[in-house]
Amino acid sequence: MTNPATPPKAEKLSAIKGMNDILPPDSARWEALEDTVRRLMRAYAYENIRTPIVEHTALFVRGLGEVTDIVEKEMYSFEDKLNGDKLTMRPENTAGVVRAAIEHSLLYNGGKRLYYMGPMFRHERPQRGRYRQFHQIGAEALGFGGPELDAEVILMAHALCQRLGITDIELQINSLGQPHERNAHRSALIAHFEAHHDVLDPEAQRRLHLNPLRLLDSKNPAMQEVIGAAPKLIEFLGEASKAHLAAVLEILDANGVAHTLNHRLVRGLDYYNLTVFEFVTTRLGSQGTVCAGGRYDYLMEQVGGKPAPAVGWAMGMERVLELIGEQALVTAPLDVYALVTDVADFPRVHQCLQQLRQCGLSVQMQAVADGALPGIKSQFKRADASGARYALIFGSDEMADRVVTVKALRDASVAQVRRPLDAVAQWAYSLQSAD
Ligand code: ATP
Ligand code: MG
């Protein structure tokens, strides 16, 4: 019989590899990033969209393409136990946004500019800048076919980097042309790689006829020479495709956004056409792509909607935060730390603190710890460590006189004063308007 006084020790559980807890104080940096994104999206009039984490597997297979890294090996897929539906944790969110736009006829009245932030899931080898649950900021402009929208979303991503203080980042851009142009290029690529069949690794040989464009992505050193000599897509672009790219570049130039044409930039997904781009840094090792996107005029049709052009991007939040470093996202400090010496005073202390919070101050209250309120010295230490600008002391003398002592913690020149409890709201307002 087990002794009820000593239950068996439960096994310690940990998070899944590659899926991270985001803890304070780091979570404050995430919130600051999210705040910056929301302000930026308002400035560009992009509206927020929130779609489910789980979608039908078919959406990603059809949307992203069967012969892509994501669909072939990175998706977290499972069967619904109740009805056998094949489901997938979203590895990206463009397909989900497009599905929602079709399902709810979001384009009934012309184009729609949308943005999202949230977790994505890919079964990859976890390493710096590469996780199994990671987070993306994304912008999608649906129903717009003109180059001015390609430029708008690029300007927006660029502005976000600027606002975040990320300057050592390069914008690379390319055009994938239209499907018929890609097909002509595809045939030429197959012919080229077939002529050099002996240098292709098994992966490349397997993909050669399935998706030869993907061979250009290969990092295999032995294949770089033959990749370098491969026919370039740009040589197959017609006048309209070239004019589209030129128009995008003209807008970027007019706005002082530096860019590099990279004719080998093909992106890992099937749904892109015309403009594709990446914001790349050398500071994150091989995980250097911070933001990636492009035009996807055929995705709507591919997942069952009426044809509609679209352009967008996604940015990896972990990579952005790593680039920004520790200091850059300054988060608002705590305004008040409340010191309390008698548990009997909590009703009145709470009453007072509620008023301060209504005035917009951030307030943290000393609570009972290990069965008792800590001594006043220890409370002052905690107040100091909290980073609060003011300590409010609700001691027994103060309570008897219906006042509170206000002590500035970060400015020794400000004298400590007692304020009547029914006048703390005025003090809080004066503090707010002084900021
Ligand atoms: P990579 O070449 O690094 O694998 P990708 O082409 O697979 O990137 P996209 O699908 O275009 O990436 O996603 C857009 C952005 O999301 C990337 O540029 C990156 O910042 C971020 N991202 C993608 N996969 C991960 C991951 N596993 N962990 C963290 N961030 C990621
Ligand atoms: Mg990838």
Side-chain angles (χ1 to χ4, degrees):
M1 227 176 80
T2 52
N3 181 350
T6 54
K9 201 157 180 263
E11 195 191 331
K12 208 156 136 196
L13 295 172
S14 53
I16 295 165
K17 198 173 162 218
M19 302 197 178
N20 301 315
D21 296 309
I22 299 169
L23 308 172
D26 199 37
S27 51
R29 301 174 62 240
W30 282 77
E31 289 189 306
L33 171 58
E34 288 157 6
D35 286 348
T36 304
V37 171
R38 291 195 180 100
R39 277 199 303 274
L40 177 100
M41 294 300 172
R42 266 200 297 280
Y44 286 79
Y46 279 60
E47 298 174 283
N48 185 232
I49 181 166
R50 302 173 189 222
T51 57
I53 301 282
V54 178
E55 298 270 2
H56 288 288
T57 302
L59 173 67
F60 301 113
V61 176
R62 270 204 268 162
L64 277 52
E66 217 144 349
V67 189
T68 54
D69 280 347
I70 292 182
V71 172
E72 282 188 329
K73 47 193 184 204
E74 295 175 359
M75 294 205 302
Y76 279 94
S77 299
F78 57 97
E79 228 169 69
D80 188 319
K81 270 190 200 151
L82 291 180
N83 58 13
D85 280 358
K86 291 187 165 50
L87 307 177
T88 293
M89 314 261 290
R90 63 184 191 191
E92 58 96 65
N93 204 27
T94 302
V97 167
V98 164
R99 195 259 319 131
I102 296 166
E103 191 167 338
H104 306 287
S105 308
L106 294 187
L107 301 188
Y108 73 98
N109 201 12
K112 197 89 184 153
R113 293 168 161 96
L114 300 167
Y115 85 92
Y116 58 81
M117 282 188 272
M120 308 295 156
F121 302 83
R122 295 186 195 177
H123 202 279
E124 303 196 72
R125 193 170 68 75
Q127 54 195 293
R128 179 185 180 205
R130 192 175 294 286
Y131 309 99
R132 290 179 172 173
Q133 175 173 338
F134 63 100
H135 299 75
Q136 284 182 339
I137 304 157
E140 316 288 356
L142 307 179
F144 301 97
E148 70 280 8
L149 255 290
D150 307 43
E152 180 176 289
V153 299
I154 293 173
L155 289 176
M156 187 160 71
H158 181 262
L160 180 54
C161 291
Q162 299 261 300
R163 285 189 190 194
L164 295 170
I166 301 173
T167 47
D168 53 345
I169 195 157
E170 184 180 62
L171 167 61
Q172 299 192 352
I173 192 163
N174 190 20
S175 175
L176 298 182
Q178 297 291 12
H180 68 277
E181 294 157 351
R182 279 168 78 170
N183 283 340
H185 175 238
R186 182 191 148 99
S187 307
L189 265 187
I190 293 176
H192 172 77
F193 283 118
E194 267 178 347
H196 299 88
H197 204 263
D198 47 322
V199 297
L200 303 187
D201 56 29
E203 173 82 345
Q205 290 183 6
R206 188 179 64 80
R207 287 179 163 189
L208 177 53
H209 289 273
L210 294 169
N211 198 342
L213 209 55
R214 211 66 344 113
L215 268 62
L216 302 177
D217 277 340
S218 169
K219 307 237 156 65
N220 183 349
M223 288 169 46
Q224 293 313 304
E225 197 176 323
V226 62
I227 289 174
K232 302 204 169 21
L233 180 51
I234 194 86
E235 294 153 12
F236 293 78
L237 296 190
E239 287 313 312
S241 294
K242 282 187 192 154
H244 189 99
L245 178 62
V248 176
L249 299 185
E250 189 187 347
I251 298 173
L252 297 183
D253 287 336
N255 287 277
V257 175
H259 47 81
T260 308
L261 280 177
N262 176 359
H263 293 310
R264 284 176 56 182
L265 183 67
V266 292
R267 306 286 311 120
L269 306 174
D270 275 1
Y271 55 55
Y272 290 113
N273 68 299
L274 292 173
T275 316
V276 289
F277 58 90
E278 289 188 353
F279 286 84
V280 200
T281 164
T282 52
R283 274 208 285 136
L284 298 177
S286 53
Q287 274 60 254
T289 304
V290 175
C291 175
R295 181 160 277 290
Y296 51 95
D297 294 336
Y298 304 97
L299 183 60
M300 282 275 187
E301 255 178 294
Q302 212 152 315
V303 297
K306 270 194 259 164
V311 60
W313 50 255
M315 194 180 276
M317 295 178 77
E318 283 81 0
R319 292 187 194 175
V320 166
L321 284 166
E322 183 156 350
L323 266 187
I324 295 171
E326 293 303 321
Q327 326 80 344
L329 283 175
V330 183
T331 50
L334 189 64
D335 293 310
V336 168
Y337 193 100
L339 288 70
V340 187
T341 56
D342 185 344
V343 292
D345 295 328
F346 276 131
R348 278 201 290 170
V349 171
H350 266 302
Q351 246 178 13
C352 176
L353 301 186
Q354 287 293 78
Q355 290 182 51
L356 299 183
R357 293 174 180 132
Q358 262 170 19
C359 296
L361 298 190
S362 68
V363 178
Q364 186 178 328
M365 183 191 72
Q366 178 63 55
V368 171
D370 294 327
L373 282 165
I376 196 76
K377 248 195 178 153
S378 156
Q379 290 197 33
F380 263 116
K381 266 194 199 146
R382 291 168 193 232
D384 205 43
S386 75
R389 300 157 68 198
Y390 294 92
L392 259 57
I393 304 142
F394 295 88
S396 45
D397 289 354
E398 280 91 351
M399 290 290 107
D401 294 348
R402 307 184 62 78
V403 298
V404 60
T405 298
V406 178
K407 181 175 165 42
L409 293 174
R410 313 288 147 197
D411 187 350
S413 68
V414 179
Q416 177 171 315
V417 289
R418 287 178 144 215
R419 292 187 181 274
L421 284 178
D422 50 21
V424 285
Q426 270 116 302
W427 170 72
Y429 275 125
S430 69
L431 210 62
Q432 287 291 76
S433 45
D435 286 345

